[in-house]
Amino acid sequence: MILVTGATGNIGRALARELDARDEKLRLLVRDPARARAAGLPPSDRAELAVGDFGNPDTLTPALTGVDKLFLLTQGIGTEHTTAVVAAARAAGVRHIVHLSSAHVLLDPVPAMGRWHHERERIIRAAGIPATFLRPGGFMTNALDWLPTIHAGDYVLDPVGPGRYAPIDPADIAAVAAHVLTGHAEEDEEYVLTGDETFTVAEQVRIISETVGRTIEVRATTTPDEIVRFRFPHGAPPALAAAVTEGFALMRADTVGVRTDTVERLLGRRPRTFADWCARHADAFRRPATAG
């Protein structure tokens, strides 16, 4: 039995479909069954639903009972959720954890965003459960954070200027996770996952513009608030805002961009392209229809 956490998110949904296609025995941890049904997850005769919450450890024991392998995705800036899930996994006899970490843990010095992920990795290792760590860089889906300014004024705020990175499609992260969970890669391994192309923000915006057939302007950020809004349009708690600002400063300084061949090496194909991702999500970037 494989338990997928974060099952209604971009990676979790794709992973559930990947594992279902392989006829794996599957359980999905969700907080809201109604949202799970709306998310297009495999039907109940193909995947069990376990209702639980990382913030309520009592719900984790039944979710993990009978589970052999765990895909663990914890959000936010703390480590208490990781501690709770790993303790429950150890008590349940889970034999392998595939953990979604971050490429930030490899930076020197490690920035705040990386320190949280590094501590989560340490918690998992200390539990003694064999684990595989997936360390993606930026996600292609982060471009959806730009929708408020694109819809309101056809512009995107840019905090990184000449900085380059190689965003990855979450579907490729899910494909790698499925590959590992089904025994086709080494346990106790660390995989840095990126896309196949490096971009500046301006280059990404140009591809979106070409996809939707209208000009979208790129505006350099001028205040810390605008830097945070690039990633979190509705704002972020102070600790997270400071970490985001620090992270974008590091990205601005990297004018080459980290790119790995891990996806191709594990899956035998090249990662999906940003242009393909934009084509699949073009409707999201088009202006909503106005009434009247």
Side-chain angles (χ1 to χ4, degrees), residues 225-244:
D225 178 65
E226 286 185 337
I227 291 173
V228 174
R229 282 172 52 204
F230 173 81
R231 183 65 183 85
F232 294 96
H234 303 295
L240 181 56
V244 168

Side-chain angles (χ1 to χ4, degrees), residues 108-123:
D108 185 16
V110 178
M113 200 74 74
R115 289 195 294 273
W116 294 318
H117 287 286
H118 185 273
E119 180 61 17
R120 291 167 184 165
E121 290 190 9
R122 187 200 64 77
I123 292 167

Side-chain angles (χ1 to χ4, degrees), residues 8 30-39 41 49-51:
T8 58
V30 300
R31 286 183 294 179
D32 182 350
R35 182 182 177 191
R37 287 190 289 270
L41 295 172
L49 282 188
V51 179

Side-chain angles (χ1 to χ4, degrees), residues 23-193:
D23 291 323
E24 294 291 332
K25 192 174 181 182
L26 186 59
R27 184 180 294 161
L28 309 175
L29 183 65
V30 300
R31 286 183 294 179
D32 182 350
R35 182 182 177 191
R37 287 190 289 270
L41 295 172
S44 58
D45 62 334
R46 303 283 299 177
E48 299 177 15
L49 282 188
V51 179
D53 191 322
F54 289 163
N56 184 355
D58 290 342
T59 66
L60 301 177
T61 297
L64 284 158
T65 298
V67 168
D68 302 303
K69 300 180 182 182
L70 167 65
F71 175 73
L72 179 57
L73 187 161
T74 54
Q75 297 178 322
I77 61 178
T79 59
E80 62 275 9
H81 288 171
T82 303
T83 299
V85 178
V86 170
R90 185 176 182 183
V94 171
R95 296 185 289 106
H96 184 199
I97 295 176
V98 175
H99 175 58
L100 187 74
S101 184
S102 169
H104 285 96
V105 302
L106 300 174
L107 297 178
D108 185 16
V110 178
M113 200 74 74
R115 289 195 294 273
W116 294 318
H117 287 286
H118 185 273
E119 180 61 17
R120 291 167 184 165
E121 290 190 9
R122 187 200 64 77
I123 292 167
I124 293 168
R125 288 190 174 95
I129 303 173
T132 304
F133 298 96
L134 308 184
R135 294 169 170 171
F139 298 171
M140 292 181 185
T141 44
N142 289 351
L144 297 173
D145 295 334
W146 310 339
L147 290 179
T149 57
I150 289 176
H151 289 165
D154 280 336
Y155 72 93
V156 168
L157 295 168
D158 178 8
V160 300
R164 307 185 73 85
Y165 71 118
I168 185 169
D169 190 328
D172 282 334
I173 300 173
V176 169
H179 186 78
V180 175
L181 284 163
T182 54
H184 298 290
E186 296 295 325
E187 295 180 0
D188 296 313
E189 187 62 82
E190 302 154 356
Y191 295 115
V192 178
L193 306 176

